[in-house]
Amino acid sequence: MRVDTLEAYNIPADILAIWREQVGAELLPVQERAVKEFGLFGRDNLIVFSPTSSGKTFVGEMAAVKAARENTKVFYLVPLKALAKEKAREFQERYGKAGIKVVVSSRDCREHDEEIERRDFQIAVVVVEKMQALLVSKPQLMEAVGLVVVDEMQLITDETRGATLELLLTKLRIAGSQPRIVGLSAVLGRAQMLADWLRAKLLVDTRRPIELRKGVLCRGTFTYREH
């Protein structure tokens, strides 16, 4: 499926140009299935379960960017503060010229918190625990949330941090504003149970279009063990 065909889903031409330049002219299999079979640009909750390097992260990005351009407030949740900064920088570089304001928030990165509280953003990249803290201090933020993308959703199975994500998802699930949830995971046991709980469609794709190679780096020399 060519990126250009996404025009049929009301994706603006300038966004399509960015995607062609940054991602390529063709969608990967899991991305195509998300769009054509699972209504990525619709309103239903969705969980995408596919291997690392299969292209699932861009599924969440597509949903986030389309929603942002339609004036929906998007929270893009990640498990690590370093990942939050990296993802926010990537989004700013890609979509700043398209008029999408991207902010970031973590325990150590608070300079955009007032903007988030004022709802002065289109996409907020936030660490899970910080999102929970924001909703505790400013519960009215919940009514502003239109879409929540949860990257690395397998965090919910973590013994020490999973409960925070579960509580956050529970709040989103019962919120009066009924925000949409798109979850992305490479490793997720009992995925159907989670999808049922979130009333979400479940996309499972085991293909890995981009090959991963395993080897050992020793004294500057990389030796393949698996090709």
Side-chain angles (χ1 to χ4, degrees):
M1 182 178 185
R2 295 186 61 81
V3 167
D4 288 340
T5 62
L6 296 178
E7 183 180 6
Y9 297 89
N10 297 318
I11 307 298
D14 58 336
I15 298 299
L16 292 178
I18 293 171
W19 290 351
R20 284 195 306 270
E21 177 186 351
Q22 298 292 329
V23 183
E26 298 281 346
L27 294 180
L28 294 175
V30 71
Q31 298 160 1
E32 180 175 348
R33 290 189 65 200
V35 172
K36 295 175 69 174
E37 299 176 34
F38 288 84
L40 177 64
F41 299 126
R43 301 181 61 86
D44 292 333
N45 294 342
L46 174 64
I47 293 177
V48 180
F49 175 31
S50 66
T52 300
S53 81
S54 63
K56 66 181 175 300
T57 300
F58 188 60
V59 172
E61 182 174 333
M62 287 193 292
V65 171
K66 184 177 189 295
R69 281 297 292 265
E70 294 174 346
N71 296 317
T72 296
K73 302 301 181 187
V74 179
F75 283 92
Y76 194 104
L77 304 186
V78 296
L80 303 172
K81 59 185 180 182
L83 184 57
K85 289 184 178 180
E86 177 184 342
K87 183 60 68 174
R89 188 183 311 112
E90 179 182 306
F91 282 177
Q92 288 163 354
E93 292 173 353
R94 284 187 183 181
Y95 305 112
K97 58 187 176 183
I100 295 177
K101 182 174 181 179
V102 180
V103 297
V104 59
S105 181
S106 66
R107 185 182 63 182
D108 301 330
C109 184
R110 306 177 182 179
E111 57 264 33
H112 298 291
D113 285 7
E114 290 186 3
E115 292 168 278
I116 293 175
E117 292 172 1
R118 295 198 309 268
R119 308 177 187 183
D120 182 19
F121 68 94
Q122 274 75 51
I123 300 177
V125 184
V126 186
V127 174
V128 169
E129 285 83 359
K130 183 59 180 287
M131 182 70 184
Q132 172 71 356
L134 287 169
L135 290 177
V136 168
S137 62
K138 296 288 182 178
Q140 60 270 30
L141 263 180
M142 183 65 73
E143 299 307 312
V145 181
L147 169 66
V148 178
V149 178
V150 186
D151 203 355
E152 306 293 346
M153 200 170 192
Q154 64 269 19
L155 178 68
I156 199 169
T157 65
D158 186 89
E159 291 184 0
T160 57
R161 303 179 64 200
T164 300
L165 179 55
E166 184 176 346
L167 178 59
L168 180 55
L169 290 172
T170 300
K171 289 182 177 181
L172 295 171
R173 183 174 174 271
I174 65 176
S177 58
Q178 292 292 295
R180 187 185 185 206
I181 300 171
V182 175
L184 313 171
S185 179
V187 180
L188 189 62
R190 300 183 179 178
Q192 187 62 59
M193 183 183 295
L194 179 61
D196 291 343
W197 176 58
L198 293 175
R199 296 188 290 271
K201 296 179 178 179
L202 176 62
L203 167 52
V204 178
D205 197 302
T206 59
R207 288 170 289 183
R208 194 195 302 274
I210 301 174
E211 180 186 15
L212 291 185
R213 298 179 178 179
K214 179 181 177 181
V216 177
L217 178 65
C218 180
R219 298 178 182 176
T221 301
F222 187 86
T223 303
Y224 286 112
R225 299 297 300 276
E226 189 177 296
H227 193 298

